Amino acid sequence: MAEKEEFKGAVGTNYFETDPLVRGLVCGALPDDRRETVMEELSAFGAACGGELASLITTAHRDENKPKIDGNRVVYCAEQVQARRKAMDLGLLPPVPLVERMTKAYLLNQNGEGGITCPLAMTDGLVALLESHGSADQKKRYLPLLRDSSVDTPLTAGQFVTEKQGGSNVSENETRAVQQADGSWRLTGLKWFCSNPGDLWVTTAKPEGSEIVGLFLVPRLKPDGSPNTHKLLDLKNLSGTYGKATAEIEYEGTYAESIGRPSHGLAILLGSVLKTSRIHVAAASLGFGRRALVEATTWGRERIVLKRPIHDIPHVRSKLDAMKDRQEGATMAVFRMFFAVEAKDPSADVLIPLLKIGVSRDASRQVRDARLLFAGNAVDRDFSILPRLSEDALIQEIWEGTHPILAGQALKALRRQRSRDAFLAILPDAIADLLSDRLGDFSDDESVSVCIHAYESLKTSLLRSRESIPG
Ligand SMILES: Cc1cc2nc3c(=O)[nH]c(=O)nc-3n(C[C@H](O)[C@H](O)[C@H](O)COP(=O)(O)OP(=O)(O)OC[C@H]3O[C@@H](n4cnc5c(N)ncnc54)[C@H](O)[C@@H]3O)c2cc1C
């Protein structure tokens, strides 16, 4: 390898066709009458990810192409907009069935977050929220906007909850909402992490005189077409996921509409918006882990040391084998979760928070292991995707809830009989007994390690059926 430009890794390949385990899992789950069509669609999507989208995303992440604020709007480079539009036009939102669109999200994330998949997660979440809790009028006005790939910034939705004093404990939000005579609301306060500020977002605020957190829709333009009164403050100088913008936003009597019953704000946020985002975190992290594995495997074949490829060195071989095992276990677990969500199986209540912890943690480990094999070249941003993937992987561990917060939610779900029974049925007896005997016993300190233990056991258990999957 004389020239650094020579290392291409996965770029130029079809991410779906080169992934027999995922092909086998998806193929086995599709109904007979749709199998051929969907497999062809996913193949076309995998080709786009390794081809045009990989190239657009790489260009969009050059320093000079980062998003900027112009007036009160974010402006993206042409390649970023084109990448979003191209991906969106290949079918990323409902009514595309969940397993198909999450498979696409997984493939897309093999190019890193890319400035696309955070906006995708939030747009998917807002579509779910509108469909489940929006009024007929809100659905009519806002669903077409979210599904429109021709707007200036496709995948245009946001979800702005976190405030300066902290994101984990939403009940501490200080933003206030005051209802108007016409039923609309005006918001005052500061949101601290606002990713992808676009045409519409969902936000949290406490109605005047109440300590209960309510949910509100905020459009960039008010119903009469005039600009809303929020102020976009500085863009954050992010290390990671910098293809999309993250800003602070100040509400100054900002127009808003309530969605769902105000007293149920937190429950709706968790059950609809954050649930969707956390499924996306698992898809994203699985994609990062897969890309790290492909880069490491390719590097192992191509990097020559002492006249032989490094994958012939025993410790490199065993590192690559461990990465492959970790990835296969995570893949089995994530697709099990997708299938459970689609089937409305109660095990999903446990699997979603558990995998948010486990798979995002695995992705960071996969990328780190790959970087150690790349050694010096691992830290050159122009050599491979790994530095960007590494930063993006850490963010998946943080946003949409840190590990202790998610562990608390996984254990809470495990205390509900239906969810517990459905989840424990997947696990080997030993860990199932430990969990069912000691539920309620775990301190906060223990809860993350208990969840990681349960996740590792889940992977081991699911891997037993690996051989039965075609491909
Ligand atoms: C790139 C990026 C983009 C983001 N975009 C958005 C966005 O668009 N919208 C949005 O709303 N948010 C966004 N966030 C914010 C993100 O969701 C929060 O960072 C996250 O929820 C954690 O909140 P915090 O950073 O305020 O940490 P804190 O809540 O201050 O937590 C600090 C530490 O304390 C621990 N901790 C806190 N509470 C508890 C508890 N009860 N039990 C145990 N441990 C606890 C946490 O695990 C963490 O380690 C974004 C974050 C990043 C990094």
Side-chain angles (χ1 to χ4, degrees):
M1 302 253 335
E3 298 289 329
K4 65 181 182 180
E5 290 76 22
E6 284 175 18
F7 183 75
K8 292 209 163 36
V11 171
T13 66
N14 181 321
Y15 294 176
F16 186 65
E17 292 299 335
T18 50
D19 193 339
L21 177 55
V22 165
R23 276 180 53 85
L25 284 164
V26 176
C27 188
L30 288 168
D32 290 346
D33 60 339
R34 300 197 60 236
R35 186 169 294 123
E36 201 179 324
T37 316
V38 174
M39 292 299 277
E40 277 171 15
E41 275 175 27
L42 290 173
S43 181
F45 196 86
C49 286
E52 189 183 355
L53 287 168
S55 154
L56 289 168
I57 289 168
T58 303
T59 308
H61 282 74
R62 292 201 187 118
D63 281 348
E64 65 275 20
N65 287 338
K66 284 183 177 176
K68 299 177 182 62
I69 289 188
D70 180 10
N72 206 29
R73 296 192 70 177
V74 174
V75 180
Y76 290 95
C77 68
E79 288 80 2
Q80 179 64 54
V81 176
Q82 215 180 318
R84 289 188 186 198
R85 202 163 278 148
K86 165 93 190 172
M88 201 175 169
D89 288 344
L90 290 170
L92 292 176
L93 294 174
V96 176
L98 182 128
V99 173
E100 292 163 40
R101 58 181 207 275
M102 286 302 158
T103 303
K104 289 177 181 170
Y106 157 74
L107 296 169
L108 198 48
N109 273 290
Q110 290 177 39
N111 293 321
E113 188 281 327
I116 307 183
T117 61
C118 161
L120 167 62
M122 296 193 296
T123 306
D124 200 1
L126 195 41
V127 168
L129 175 67
L130 277 163
E131 281 178 343
S132 58
H133 292 89
S135 66
D137 180 50
Q138 286 171 333
K139 285 181 192 171
K140 193 166 146 216
R141 281 182 294 134
Y142 294 135
L143 282 172
L145 174 69
L146 297 180
R147 294 203 164 106
D148 186 356
S149 68
S150 70
V151 294
D152 288 351
T153 314
L155 299 170
T156 198
Q159 54 194 52
F160 306 153
V161 176
T162 304
E163 298 188 357
K164 192 169 184 176
Q165 69 278 9
S168 303
N169 307 297
V170 181
S171 55
E172 291 183 345
N173 268 195
E174 290 174 0
T175 298
R176 284 284 161 192
V178 179
Q179 192 160 25
Q180 308 297 297
D182 65 359
S184 67
W185 296 74
R186 297 292 177 274
L187 306 182
T188 308
L190 179 71
K191 291 293 173 184
W192 190 241
F193 271 96
C194 304
S195 293
N196 197 42
D199 290 337
L200 181 70
W201 57 92
V202 59
T203 199
T204 44
K206 289 177 179 165
E208 193 72 358
S210 158
E211 280 308 304
I212 292 172
V213 174
L215 268 192
F216 298 88
L217 293 175
V218 182
R220 183 175 62 81
L221 300 177
K222 292 192 273 189
D224 65 5
S226 63
N228 209 340
T229 58
H230 61 287
K231 202 185 282 170
L232 221 60
L233 306 178
D234 280 349
L235 294 187
K236 290 188 187 287
N237 184 11
L238 300 176
S239 69
T241 67
Y242 53 86
K244 56 100 189 88
T246 298
E248 292 151 32
I249 288 187
E250 191 165 15
Y251 296 137
E252 301 175 313
T254 300
Y255 170 89
E257 301 168 21
S258 67
I259 181 159
R261 283 168 62 185
S263 57
H264 290 189
L266 269 186
I268 300 171
L269 180 73
L270 272 173
S272 181
V273 179
L274 295 183
K275 176 179 163 189
T276 307
S277 306
R278 289 165 181 174
I279 298 170
H280 274 278
V281 167
S285 302
L286 191 70
F288 297 174
R290 166 74 187 171
R291 182 67 187 268
L293 174 64
V294 173
E295 300 306 283
T297 309
T298 312
W299 178 246
R301 268 198 316 269
E302 293 184 7
R303 180 66 166 179
I304 307 295
V305 171
L306 298 175
K307 298 196 171 70
R308 59 179 184 166
I310 58 167
H311 74 185
D312 286 350
I313 301 172
H315 97 88
V316 173
R317 186 72 263 149
S318 66
K319 184 58 78 182
L320 289 170
D321 288 346
M323 288 179 71
K324 181 166 177 281
D325 288 349
R326 188 188 290 141
Q327 186 64 22
E328 290 198 339
T331 305
M332 302 284 287
V334 169
F335 276 80
R336 181 70 178 233
M337 182 265 281
F338 293 162
F339 300 148
V341 176
E342 190 145 78
K344 298 191 169 36
D345 185 284
S347 63
D349 297 345
V350 182
L351 287 168
I352 294 170
L354 193 73
L355 299 196
K356 162 73 171 76
I357 303 169
V359 187
S360 66
R361 183 172 171 272
D362 269 356
S364 289
R365 294 159 85 202
Q366 290 287 87
V367 180
R368 183 171 188 277
D369 284 352
R371 292 186 86 183
L372 288 171
L373 294 180
F374 274 66
N377 289 310
V379 297
D380 179 351
R381 287 186 173 277
D382 296 332
F383 191 87
S384 80
I385 192 175
L386 291 175
R388 183 157 60 82
L389 223 47
S390 166
E391 293 174 337
D392 290 1
L394 179 68
I395 290 174
Q396 300 294 343
E397 295 198 62
I398 295 171
W399 66 16
E400 310 302 344
T402 56
H403 298 328
I405 302 301
L406 272 290
Q409 290 178 12
L411 293 181
K412 193 170 164 197
L414 272 170
R415 288 182 197 113
R416 291 195 293 269
Q417 183 85 41
R418 284 182 70 231
S419 310
R420 176 169 70 241
D421 290 350
F423 175 71
L424 294 184
I426 318 171
L427 284 182
D429 290 345
I431 178 78
D433 289 347
L434 171 79
L435 279 173
S436 57
D437 289 351
R438 290 203 45 212
L439 275 176
D441 257 11
F442 301 115
S443 67
D444 279 355
D445 286 350
E446 280 179 310
S447 61
V448 175
S449 49
V450 167
C451 285
I452 289 169
H453 187 41
Y455 169 70
E456 293 298 333
S457 303
L458 175 72
K459 288 194 293 184
T460 308
S461 170
L462 292 172
L463 274 174
R464 292 201 191 110
S465 55
R466 166 72 184 91
E467 294 313 315
S468 64
I469 296 157

